[in-house]
Coordinates of all heavy atoms in Angstrom, one line a residue:
Chain B
A2 N 7.9 7.9 12.9 CA 7.7 6.7 13.7 C 7.1 5.6 12.9 O 6.1 5.7 12.2 CB 6.7 7.0 14.9
Q3 N 7.8 4.4 13.0 CA 7.2 3.3 12.2 C 7.8 2.0 12.6 O 8.7 1.9 13.4 CB 7.6 3.5 10.7 CG 9.1 3.6 10.4 CD 9.3 4.0 9.0 OE1 8.4 4.2 8.2 NE2 10.6 3.9 8.6
V4 N 7.0 0.9 12.2 CA 7.4 -0.5 12.3 C 7.7 -1.0 10.9 O 6.9 -0.9 10.0 CB 6.3 -1.3 13.0 CG1 6.8 -2.7 13.1 CG2 6.0 -0.7 14.4
T5 N 8.9 -1.5 10.7 CA 9.4 -1.9 9.4 C 9.6 -3.4 9.4 O 10.3 -4.0 10.2 CB 10.7 -1.2 9.0 OG1 10.5 0.2 9.1 CG2 11.1 -1.6 7.6
Q6 N 8.9 -4.1 8.4 CA 9.1 -5.5 8.2 C 9.7 -5.8 6.9 O 9.5 -5.1 5.9 CB 7.7 -6.2 8.2 CG 6.9 -6.1 9.5 CD 5.5 -6.7 9.3 OE1 4.5 -6.2 9.7 NE2 5.5 -7.9 8.8
N7 N 10.5 -6.9 6.9 CA 11.1 -7.3 5.6 C 11.3 -8.9 5.6 O 11.6 -9.4 6.7 CB 12.5 -6.7 5.4 CG 12.4 -5.3 4.8 OD1 11.9 -5.1 3.7 ND2 12.8 -4.3 5.6
P8 N 11.0 -9.5 4.5 CA 10.5 -9.0 3.3 C 9.0 -8.7 3.3 O 8.3 -9.2 4.2 CB 10.9 -10.1 2.2 CG 10.7 -11.3 3.0 CD 11.2 -11.0 4.4
R9 N 8.5 -7.9 2.4 CA 7.1 -7.7 2.3 C 6.4 -8.9 1.6 O 5.2 -9.2 1.9 CB 6.8 -6.4 1.5 CG 7.3 -5.2 2.1 CD 6.4 -4.8 3.3 NE 5.0 -4.9 3.0 CZ 4.3 -3.9 2.4 NH1 4.9 -2.8 2.0 NH2 3.0 -4.1 2.2
Y10 N 7.1 -9.5 0.7 CA 6.5 -10.7 0.0 C 7.6 -11.7 -0.1 O 8.8 -11.4 -0.4 CB 6.1 -10.3 -1.4 CG 5.0 -9.2 -1.4 CD1 5.4 -7.9 -1.6 CD2 3.7 -9.5 -1.4 CE1 4.5 -6.9 -1.6 CE2 2.7 -8.5 -1.4 CZ 3.1 -7.2 -1.5 OH 2.2 -6.2 -1.5
L11 N 7.2 -13.0 0.1 CA 8.2 -14.1 0.0 C 7.5 -15.4 -0.4 O 6.4 -15.7 0.2 CB 8.9 -14.3 1.3 CG 9.9 -15.4 1.4 CD1 11.1 -15.1 0.4 CD2 10.5 -15.6 2.8
I12 N 8.0 -16.0 -1.4 CA 7.6 -17.4 -1.8 C 8.7 -18.3 -1.5 O 9.8 -18.1 -2.0 CB 7.1 -17.4 -3.3 CG1 6.0 -16.4 -3.5 CG2 6.7 -18.8 -3.7 CD1 5.6 -16.3 -5.0
T13 N 8.5 -19.4 -0.8 CA 9.5 -20.3 -0.5 C 9.0 -21.7 -0.6 O 7.8 -21.9 -0.9 CB 10.1 -20.0 1.0 OG1 11.2 -20.8 1.2 CG2 9.0 -20.4 2.0
V14 N 9.8 -22.7 -0.3 CA 9.4 -24.1 -0.3 C 9.5 -24.7 1.1 O 10.2 -24.2 2.0 CB 10.4 -24.9 -1.3 CG1 10.2 -24.4 -2.7 CG2 11.8 -24.8 -0.9
T15 N 8.8 -25.8 1.2 CA 8.7 -26.5 2.5 C 10.1 -26.8 3.0 O 10.9 -27.4 2.2 CB 7.9 -27.8 2.3 OG1 6.5 -27.4 1.9 CG2 7.8 -28.5 3.6
G16 N 10.3 -26.5 4.3 CA 11.6 -26.9 4.9 C 12.7 -25.9 4.8 O 13.8 -26.1 5.5
K17 N 12.6 -24.9 4.0 CA 13.7 -24.0 3.8 C 13.6 -22.8 4.9 O 12.7 -22.0 4.8 CB 13.7 -23.4 2.4 CG 14.9 -22.5 2.1 CD 14.9 -22.1 0.7 CE 16.1 -21.2 0.4 NZ 16.1 -20.7 -1.0
K18 N 14.5 -22.8 5.8 CA 14.5 -21.8 6.9 C 14.4 -20.4 6.4 O 15.1 -20.1 5.4 CB 15.7 -22.0 7.8 CG 15.8 -21.1 9.0 CD 17.0 -21.3 9.8 CE 17.1 -20.3 11.0 NZ 18.3 -20.5 11.8
L19 N 13.6 -19.6 7.1 CA 13.5 -18.2 6.7 C 13.3 -17.3 7.9 O 12.8 -17.8 9.0 CB 12.4 -18.0 5.7 CG 11.0 -18.2 6.2 CD1 10.4 -16.8 6.6 CD2 10.1 -18.7 5.1
T20 N 13.7 -16.1 7.8 CA 13.5 -15.1 8.9 C 12.8 -13.9 8.3 O 13.2 -13.4 7.3 CB 14.9 -14.7 9.5 OG1 15.5 -15.9 10.0 CG2 14.7 -13.6 10.6
V21 N 11.8 -13.4 9.1 CA 11.2 -12.2 8.7 C 11.6 -11.2 9.8 O 11.4 -11.4 11.0 CB 9.6 -12.3 8.8 CG1 9.0 -11.0 8.3 CG2 9.2 -13.4 7.9
T22 N 12.2 -10.1 9.3 CA 12.7 -9.1 10.3 C 11.7 -8.1 10.6 O 10.8 -7.8 9.9 CB 14.0 -8.4 9.8 OG1 13.6 -7.6 8.6 CG2 15.1 -9.4 9.4
C23 N 11.8 -7.5 11.8 CA 10.9 -6.4 12.3 C 11.7 -5.5 13.1 O 12.5 -5.9 14.0 CB 9.8 -7.0 13.1 SG 8.7 -5.7 13.9
S24 N 11.6 -4.2 12.8 CA 12.3 -3.2 13.5 C 11.4 -2.0 13.8 O 10.6 -1.6 12.9 CB 13.5 -2.7 12.7 OG 14.2 -1.7 13.4
Q25 N 11.5 -1.4 15.0 CA 10.7 -0.2 15.4 C 11.6 0.8 15.9 O 12.6 0.6 16.6 CB 9.6 -0.6 16.4 CG 10.0 -1.3 17.6 CD 10.3 -0.5 18.8 OE1 10.2 0.7 18.8 NE2 10.8 -1.1 19.9
N26 N 11.2 2.1 15.6 CA 12.1 3.2 15.9 C 11.5 4.1 17.0 O 11.8 5.3 17.1 CB 12.5 4.1 14.7 CG 11.2 4.7 14.0 OD1 10.1 4.5 14.5 ND2 11.5 5.4 12.9
M27 N 10.5 3.5 17.8 CA 9.8 4.3 18.8 C 10.2 4.0 20.2 O 9.5 4.5 21.1 CB 8.3 4.0 18.6 CG 7.8 4.5 17.2 SD 6.1 4.0 16.9 CE 6.4 2.3 16.3
N28 N 11.2 3.2 20.4 CA 11.7 2.9 21.7 C 10.6 2.1 22.5 O 10.6 2.3 23.7 CB 12.2 4.1 22.5 CG 13.2 3.7 23.6 OD1 14.0 2.8 23.4 ND2 13.1 4.4 24.7
H29 N 9.8 1.4 21.8 CA 8.7 0.6 22.5 C 9.3 -0.6 23.2 O 10.2 -1.3 22.7 CB 7.7 0.2 21.5 CG 6.8 1.3 21.0 ND1 5.9 1.2 20.0 CD2 6.6 2.6 21.5 CE1 5.2 2.3 19.8 NE2 5.7 3.2 20.8
E30 N 8.7 -0.9 24.4 CA 9.2 -2.1 25.1 C 8.5 -3.3 24.6 O 9.1 -4.4 24.5 CB 8.8 -1.9 26.6 CG 9.7 -0.8 27.3 CD 9.4 -0.8 28.8 OE1 8.5 -1.5 29.3 OE2 10.2 -0.1 29.5
Y31 N 7.3 -3.2 24.2 CA 6.4 -4.4 23.8 C 6.5 -4.6 22.3 O 6.3 -3.6 21.5 CB 5.0 -4.2 24.3 CG 4.1 -5.3 24.0 CD1 3.9 -6.3 24.9 CD2 3.3 -5.3 22.8 CE1 3.0 -7.4 24.6 CE2 2.5 -6.3 22.5 CZ 2.3 -7.4 23.4 OH 1.4 -8.4 23.1
M32 N 6.7 -5.8 21.9 CA 6.6 -6.2 20.4 C 5.9 -7.5 20.3 O 6.0 -8.3 21.2 CB 8.0 -6.2 19.8 CG 8.7 -4.8 19.8 SD 10.3 -4.8 18.9 CE 9.7 -4.8 17.2
S33 N 5.3 -7.7 19.2 CA 4.5 -8.9 19.0 C 4.4 -9.3 17.5 O 4.5 -8.4 16.7 CB 3.1 -8.7 19.6 OG 2.3 -9.8 19.5
W34 N 4.2 -10.5 17.3 CA 3.9 -11.0 15.9 C 2.6 -11.6 15.8 O 2.1 -12.4 16.8 CB 5.0 -12.1 15.5 CG 6.2 -11.6 15.0 CD1 7.4 -11.4 15.7 CD2 6.5 -11.1 13.7 NE1 8.4 -10.9 14.8 CE2 7.8 -10.6 13.6 CE3 5.7 -10.9 12.5 CZ2 8.4 -10.1 12.5 CZ3 6.2 -10.4 11.4 CH2 7.6 -10.0 11.4
Y35 N 1.8 -11.3 14.7 CA 0.5 -11.9 14.5 C 0.5 -12.5 13.1 O 1.3 -12.1 12.2 CB -0.5 -10.8 14.5 CG -0.8 -10.1 15.8 CD1 0.0 -9.1 16.3 CD2 -1.8 -10.6 16.7 CE1 -0.2 -8.5 17.5 CE2 -2.0 -10.0 17.9 CZ -1.2 -8.9 18.3 OH -1.4 -8.3 19.5
R36 N -0.4 -13.4 12.9 CA -0.7 -13.9 11.5 C -2.1 -13.6 11.3 O -3.0 -13.7 12.2 CB -0.4 -15.4 11.3 CG -1.1 -16.4 12.2 CD -0.7 -17.8 11.8 NE -1.2 -18.2 10.6 CZ -1.0 -19.4 9.9 NH1 -0.1 -20.2 10.5 NH2 -1.5 -19.7 8.8
Q37 N -2.4 -13.2 10.0 CA -3.8 -12.9 9.6 C -4.3 -13.8 8.5 O -3.6 -13.9 7.5 CB -3.9 -11.4 9.2 CG -5.3 -11.0 8.9 CD -5.3 -9.5 8.6 OE1 -4.5 -8.9 7.9 NE2 -6.4 -8.8 9.0
D38 N -5.3 -14.5 8.8 CA -5.9 -15.5 7.8 C -7.4 -15.1 7.7 O -8.0 -14.7 8.6 CB -5.8 -16.9 8.3 CG -4.3 -17.3 8.6 OD1 -3.6 -17.4 7.6 OD2 -3.9 -17.4 9.7
P39 N -7.9 -15.3 6.5 CA -9.3 -14.8 6.2 C -10.3 -15.4 7.2 O -10.3 -16.6 7.5 CB -9.6 -15.4 4.8 CG -8.2 -15.5 4.1 CD -7.3 -15.8 5.3
G40 N -11.1 -14.5 7.7 CA -12.1 -14.9 8.7 C -11.7 -15.2 10.1 O -12.5 -15.4 11.0
L41 N -10.4 -15.2 10.3 CA -9.8 -15.6 11.6 C -9.3 -14.4 12.3 O -8.8 -14.5 13.5 CB -8.8 -16.7 11.5 CG -9.2 -18.0 11.0 CD1 -8.1 -19.0 10.9 CD2 -10.3 -18.6 11.9
G42 N -9.2 -13.2 11.7 CA -8.7 -12.0 12.3 C -7.2 -12.2 12.5 O -6.5 -12.9 11.8
L43 N -6.7 -11.5 13.5 CA -5.3 -11.5 13.8 C -5.0 -12.5 15.0 O -5.6 -12.3 16.1 CB -4.8 -10.1 14.2 CG -4.7 -9.2 13.0 CD1 -4.7 -7.7 13.5 CD2 -3.4 -9.4 12.2
R44 N -4.2 -13.4 14.9 CA -3.8 -14.3 16.0 C -2.4 -14.1 16.4 O -1.5 -14.1 15.5 CB -4.1 -15.8 15.5 CG -5.6 -16.1 15.3 CD -5.7 -17.6 14.9 NE -5.2 -17.8 13.5 CZ -5.0 -19.0 13.0 NH1 -5.3 -20.1 13.8 NH2 -4.5 -19.2 11.8
Q45 N -2.2 -14.1 17.7 CA -0.9 -13.7 18.2 C 0.0 -15.0 18.2 O -0.4 -16.1 18.6 CB -0.9 -13.2 19.6 CG 0.4 -12.6 20.1 CD 0.2 -12.0 21.5 OE1 -0.3 -12.6 22.4 NE2 0.7 -10.8 21.7
I46 N 1.3 -14.8 17.7 CA 2.2 -15.9 17.6 C 3.1 -15.9 18.8 O 3.2 -16.9 19.5 CB 3.0 -15.8 16.3 CG1 2.1 -15.8 15.1 CG2 4.0 -17.0 16.2 CD1 2.8 -15.5 13.8
Y47 N 3.9 -14.8 18.9 CA 4.8 -14.6 20.1 C 4.8 -13.1 20.4 O 4.4 -12.3 19.6 CB 6.2 -15.0 19.7 CG 6.6 -16.4 20.0 CD1 6.5 -17.4 19.0 CD2 7.1 -16.8 21.2 CE1 6.9 -18.7 19.3 CE2 7.5 -18.1 21.5 CZ 7.4 -19.1 20.5 OH 7.8 -20.3 20.8
Y48 N 5.1 -12.9 21.7 CA 5.3 -11.5 22.1 C 6.5 -11.3 23.0 O 7.1 -12.3 23.4 CB 4.0 -11.0 22.8 CG 3.7 -11.6 24.1 CD1 4.2 -11.2 25.3 CD2 2.9 -12.8 24.1 CE1 3.9 -11.8 26.5 CE2 2.6 -13.4 25.3 CZ 3.1 -12.9 26.5 OH 2.8 -13.5 27.7
S49 N 6.9 -10.1 23.1 CA 8.0 -9.8 24.0 C 7.7 -8.5 24.8 O 7.4 -7.5 24.2 CB 9.3 -9.5 23.1 OG 10.3 -9.0 23.9
M50 N 7.9 -8.6 26.1 CA 7.6 -7.5 27.0 C 8.8 -6.6 27.1 O 8.7 -5.4 27.4 CB 7.2 -8.0 28.4 CG 5.9 -8.8 28.4 SD 4.5 -7.8 28.1 CE 4.3 -7.0 29.7
N51 N 10.0 -7.1 26.8 CA 11.2 -6.3 26.8 C 12.4 -7.1 26.3 O 12.2 -8.3 26.0 CB 11.5 -5.8 28.2 CG 12.1 -4.4 28.3 OD1 12.9 -4.1 27.4 ND2 11.8 -3.6 29.3
V52 N 13.6 -6.6 26.3 CA 14.7 -7.3 25.8 C 14.9 -8.5 26.5 O 14.8 -8.6 27.8 CB 16.0 -6.4 25.9 CG1 17.2 -7.1 25.5 CG2 15.8 -5.1 25.0
E53 N 15.2 -9.6 25.8 CA 15.5 -11.0 26.4 C 14.2 -11.6 27.1 O 14.4 -12.6 27.7 CB 16.7 -10.9 27.3 CG 18.0 -10.4 26.7 CD 18.5 -11.4 25.7 OE1 18.0 -12.5 25.4 OE2 19.6 -11.1 25.1
V54 N 13.1 -11.0 26.9 CA 11.9 -11.5 27.5 C 10.9 -11.8 26.4 O 10.3 -10.9 25.8 CB 11.2 -10.6 28.5 CG1 9.9 -11.2 29.1 CG2 12.2 -10.2 29.6
T55 N 10.6 -13.1 26.1 CA 9.7 -13.5 25.0 C 8.7 -14.5 25.6 O 9.1 -15.3 26.5 CB 10.4 -14.0 23.8 OG1 11.0 -15.2 24.1 CG2 11.4 -13.0 23.2
D56 N 7.6 -14.6 25.0 CA 6.6 -15.6 25.5 C 5.6 -16.0 24.3 O 5.5 -15.2 23.3 CB 5.8 -15.1 26.6 CG 5.4 -16.3 27.6 OD1 5.4 -17.4 27.1 OD2 5.1 -16.0 28.7
K57 N 5.0 -17.2 24.4 CA 4.2 -17.7 23.4 C 2.8 -17.0 23.4 O 2.3 -16.6 24.5 CB 3.9 -19.2 23.6 CG 5.2 -20.0 23.5 CD 4.9 -21.5 23.8 CE 6.1 -22.3 23.7 NZ 5.9 -23.8 24.0
G58 N 2.3 -16.8 22.2 CA 0.9 -16.3 22.1 C 0.0 -17.5 21.9 O 0.2 -18.5 22.4
D59 N -1.0 -17.3 21.0 CA -2.0 -18.3 20.8 C -1.6 -19.4 19.8 O -2.1 -20.5 19.9 CB -3.3 -17.6 20.4 CG -3.9 -16.7 21.4 OD1 -3.9 -17.1 22.6 OD2 -4.4 -15.6 21.0
V60 N -0.8 -19.0 18.9 CA -0.4 -20.0 17.8 C 1.1 -20.0 17.6 O 1.6 -19.7 16.5 CB -1.1 -19.7 16.5 CG1 -2.6 -20.0 16.6 CG2 -0.9 -18.2 16.1
P61 N 1.9 -20.5 18.6 CA 3.4 -20.4 18.5 C 4.0 -21.6 17.7 O 5.2 -21.5 17.4 CB 3.8 -20.4 19.9 CG 2.7 -21.3 20.6 CD 1.4 -21.0 19.9
E62 N 3.3 -22.7 17.5 CA 3.9 -23.9 16.9 C 4.5 -23.6 15.5 O 3.9 -23.0 14.6 CB 2.9 -25.0 16.8 CG 2.3 -25.5 18.1 CD 1.3 -24.6 18.7 OE1 0.7 -23.7 17.9 OE2 1.0 -24.6 19.9
G63 N 5.8 -24.0 15.4 CA 6.5 -23.8 14.1 C 7.2 -22.5 14.0 O 7.8 -22.2 12.9
Y64 N 7.2 -21.7 15.0 CA 7.8 -20.4 15.0 C 8.8 -20.2 16.1 O 8.7 -20.8 17.2 CB 6.8 -19.2 15.1 CG 5.7 -19.3 14.0 CD1 4.5 -19.9 14.3 CD2 5.9 -18.7 12.8 CE1 3.5 -20.0 13.4 CE2 4.9 -18.8 11.8 CZ 3.7 -19.4 12.1 OH 2.7 -19.4 11.2
K65 N 9.8 -19.3 15.9 CA 10.7 -18.9 17.0 C 10.9 -17.4 16.9 O 10.7 -16.8 15.8 CB 12.1 -19.6 16.9 CG 12.1 -21.1 17.3 CD 13.4 -21.7 16.9 CE 14.6 -21.0 17.6 NZ 15.9 -21.7 17.4
V66 N 11.3 -16.8 18.0 CA 11.6 -15.4 18.0 C 12.8 -15.1 18.9 O 13.2 -16.0 19.6 CB 10.4 -14.5 18.5 CG1 9.2 -14.6 17.6 CG2 10.0 -14.9 19.9
S67 N 13.3 -13.9 18.8 CA 14.4 -13.5 19.7 C 14.3 -12.0 19.9 O 13.7 -11.3 19.0 CB 15.8 -13.9 19.1 OG 16.1 -13.1 18.0

Side-chain angles (χ1 to χ4, degrees):
Chain B
Q3 59 186 5
V4 178
T5 304
Q6 298 178 224
N7 279 296
R9 294 287 314 278
Y10 302 92
L11 180 62
I12 300 174
T13 190
V14 295
T15 299
K17 187 175 181 181
K18 180 180 178 179
L19 68 93
T20 299
V21 186
T22 64
C23 174
S24 180
Q25 51 92 5
N26 62 0
M27 295 170 279
N28 202 36
H29 284 170
E30 291 187 353
Y31 179 91
M32 297 186 75
S33 181
W34 276 102
Y35 294 87
R36 60 178 288 173
Q37 185 174 38
D38 302 290
L41 296 178
L43 289 158
R44 293 181 292 168
Q45 191 178 49
I46 302 170
Y47 268 94
Y48 64 90
S49 170
M50 298 289 283
N51 213 325
V52 175
E53 300 292 0
V54 180
T55 64
D56 212 339
K57 296 177 181 179
D59 296 319
V60 289
E62 295 77 21
Y64 305 94
K65 287 173 58 177
V66 293
S67 68

